[in-house]
């Protein structure tokens, strides 16, 4: 496994039986060049059968170039915002001409393109490329299935979100919606990249007493907070998944939120959605679920069924089949 910048300094370590080569270095461009050299070096030691990239972007470019140089097949999993350009928040792989050129080279050069959800495949199709749906599922050994539990009568609705505090996750939309639903509390789990901006907004909206910002938590620390929630809320402007929503579903917690990723695939049977940035719509969805326990439990059971059907073992099998087909070429 080759990571461009998992850590700032170069290094190698073992993880679950895989040798990780962290390239690091002072710049992404230099890191890409060094990654190509490292892949070629390892290929000489023991021939690779194929190259798989998780993400398009810089990693995808390295994977496609290395595969071409070594005469190998390549697969690229489009896992984030590589195909979008949200100029107002400076997000996406297609913001500038360099990014658009890079993505064109990656998408054209890969032998197979995959993505976790139908909306990303639709974005690929809009750019003239076919892709295969390959969801990244939940490890049921780490997140064991839990029966959706009824709420305590009269208790406040417990909302949860697992996402870094940043512009594309759009917690400002969520906080503004929360301000319109008085009988609801919110746990936000994720690294703060906005230097306290969301905490200040919560204070300005008068909801600080109903919001807990936990910062980054490990999976073991996060899991109890997910499990005791009544509703998972996605407020993102763009998502390929998100995986945390699937983890919540496995634990018996349904989701509502913006029309991105798996939420688009699941609505209306297993999730409810509004357009990204729709504060009024988000507040209305939260209030609707708050007042309809039958609906909440129905969404929870269907979401759990879907997440269970495409768990981590399913993802493993899909990748294994894909790689066998590529190697057979």
């Amino acid at each position: 496994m080759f990571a461009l910048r998992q850590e700032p300094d170069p290094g190698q370590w073992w993880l679950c039986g895989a040798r990780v080569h962290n390239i690091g270095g002072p710049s992404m461009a230099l890191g890409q060049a060094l990654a190509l050299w490292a892949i070629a070096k390892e290929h000489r030691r023991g021939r690779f059968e194929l190259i798989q990239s998780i993400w398009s972007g810089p990693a995808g470019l390295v994977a496609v170039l290395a595969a071409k140089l070594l005469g190998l097949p390549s697969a690229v999993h489009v896992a984030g915002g590589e195909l979008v350009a949200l100029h107002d928040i400076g997000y996406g792989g297609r913001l500038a001409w360099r990014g658009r050129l890079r993505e064109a080279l990656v998408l054209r050069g890969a032998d197979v393109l995959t993505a976790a959800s139908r909306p990303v495949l639709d974005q690929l199709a809009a750019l003239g490329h076919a892709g295969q749906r390959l969801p990244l599922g939940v490890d049921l050994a780490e997140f064991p299935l839990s029966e959706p539990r009824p709420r305590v009568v009269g208790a406040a609705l417990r909302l949860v979100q697992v996402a870094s505090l940043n512009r594309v996750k759009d917690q400002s939309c969520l906080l503004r919606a929360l301000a319109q639903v008085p009988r609801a509390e919110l746990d936000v789990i994720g690294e703060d990249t906005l230097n306290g901006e969301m905490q200040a907004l919560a204070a300005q909206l008068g909801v600080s007493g109903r919001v807990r910002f936990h910062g980054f938590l490990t999976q073991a620390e996060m899991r109890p907070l997910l499990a005791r929630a009544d509703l998972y809320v996605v407020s993102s402007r763009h998502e390929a998944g998100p995986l945390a929503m699937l983890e919540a579903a496995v634990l018996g917690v349904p989701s509502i939120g913006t029309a991105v990723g798996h939420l688009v695939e699941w609505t209306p049977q297993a999730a409810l959605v509004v357009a990204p940035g729709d504060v009024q719509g988000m507040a209305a969805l939260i209030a609707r679920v708050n007042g309809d326990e039958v609906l909440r439990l129905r969404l929870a059971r269907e979401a759990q069924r879907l997440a269970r059907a495409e768990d981590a073992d399913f993802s493993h099998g899909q990748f294994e089949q894909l790689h066998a087909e590529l190697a057979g070429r």
Side-chain angles (χ1 to χ4, degrees):
M1 297 178 64
F2 298 87
L4 294 182
R5 293 183 65 82
Q6 178 65 29
E7 301 289 343
D9 297 323
Q12 295 184 23
W13 57 85
W14 288 97
L15 177 67
C16 299
R19 185 68 168 174
V20 179
H21 304 256
N22 179 64
I23 306 303
S27 71
M28 181 62 75
L30 177 60
Q32 288 176 287
L34 292 173
L36 285 171
W37 177 82
I39 293 170
K41 179 182 177 183
E42 288 297 318
H43 182 67
R44 289 193 296 271
R45 291 181 56 191
R47 188 179 187 277
F48 293 128
E49 293 185 51
L50 58 95
I51 297 180
Q52 168 76 64
S53 175
I54 302 296
W55 303 88
S56 183
L61 184 59
V62 168
V64 167
L65 290 177
K68 298 297 183 186
L69 289 171
L70 300 176
L72 300 173
S74 63
V76 172
H77 186 77
V78 183
E82 302 98 314
L83 308 181
V84 302
L86 303 179
H87 290 279
D88 60 318
I89 58 172
Y91 175 83
R94 293 175 54 80
L95 283 173
W97 70 267
R98 288 184 179 86
R100 293 191 291 272
L101 176 61
R102 179 192 63 219
E103 295 311 313
L105 291 172
V106 173
L107 300 180
R108 186 182 297 273
D111 291 289
V112 175
L113 299 170
T114 60
S117 62
R118 175 54 54 185
V120 183
L121 296 180
D122 291 341
Q123 291 169 353
L124 280 170
L127 295 172
H129 300 280
Q132 300 179 21
R133 185 177 179 276
L134 205 167
L136 305 181
V138 179
D139 183 355
L140 298 184
E142 295 293 330
F143 288 83
L145 291 165
S146 303
E147 182 69 19
R149 56 170 182 77
R151 289 175 57 197
V152 176
V153 177
L157 185 72
R158 296 184 65 103
L159 309 176
V160 68
Q161 183 181 93
V162 181
S164 296
L165 303 184
N166 61 45
R167 304 289 180 219
V168 72
K169 304 300 183 182
D170 198 10
Q171 282 88 9
S172 64
C173 173
L174 176 54
L175 292 174
R176 294 179 192 281
L178 180 70
Q180 301 182 31
V181 187
R183 290 290 294 163
E185 300 176 354
L186 171 65
D187 288 290
V188 182
I189 304 164
E191 178 187 4
D192 184 2
T193 70
L194 299 177
N195 301 313
E197 184 177 322
M198 290 302 101
Q199 292 86 339
L201 178 60
Q204 177 186 332
L205 294 170
V207 297
S208 292
R210 297 193 282 128
V211 183
R212 290 169 289 274
F213 293 96
H214 297 273
F216 171 82
L217 296 179
T218 66
Q219 274 198 339
E221 294 167 332
M222 172 192 72
R223 194 162 49 240
L225 290 172
L226 266 184
R228 73 188 190 196
D230 300 313
L231 189 64
Y232 189 93
V233 185
V234 176
S235 53
S236 301
R237 299 272 302 272
H238 180 271
E239 288 281 358
L243 182 56
M245 166 192 159
L246 304 182
E247 292 168 343
V250 165
L251 295 173
V253 180
S255 294
I256 60 99
T258 47
V260 295
H262 294 307
L263 279 92
V264 173
E265 297 178 313
W266 287 11
T267 189
Q269 289 81 11
L272 301 174
V273 301
V274 296
D278 183 356
V279 172
Q280 299 294 333
M282 180 83 75
L285 281 187
I286 296 171
R288 179 183 173 190
V289 173
N290 190 31
D292 191 339
E293 181 66 355
V294 173
L295 169 64
R296 191 188 71 85
L297 291 174
R298 176 175 62 78
L299 293 173
R301 294 188 184 99
E302 183 62 14
Q304 186 177 76
R305 185 188 70 80
L306 292 172
R308 181 181 185 180
E310 295 182 338
D311 67 352
D313 287 340
F314 175 85
S315 301
H316 173 211
Q318 294 292 103
F319 272 113
E320 199 169 49
Q321 179 180 337
L322 171 64
H323 292 167
E325 293 171 356
L326 275 175
R329 296 181 186 180

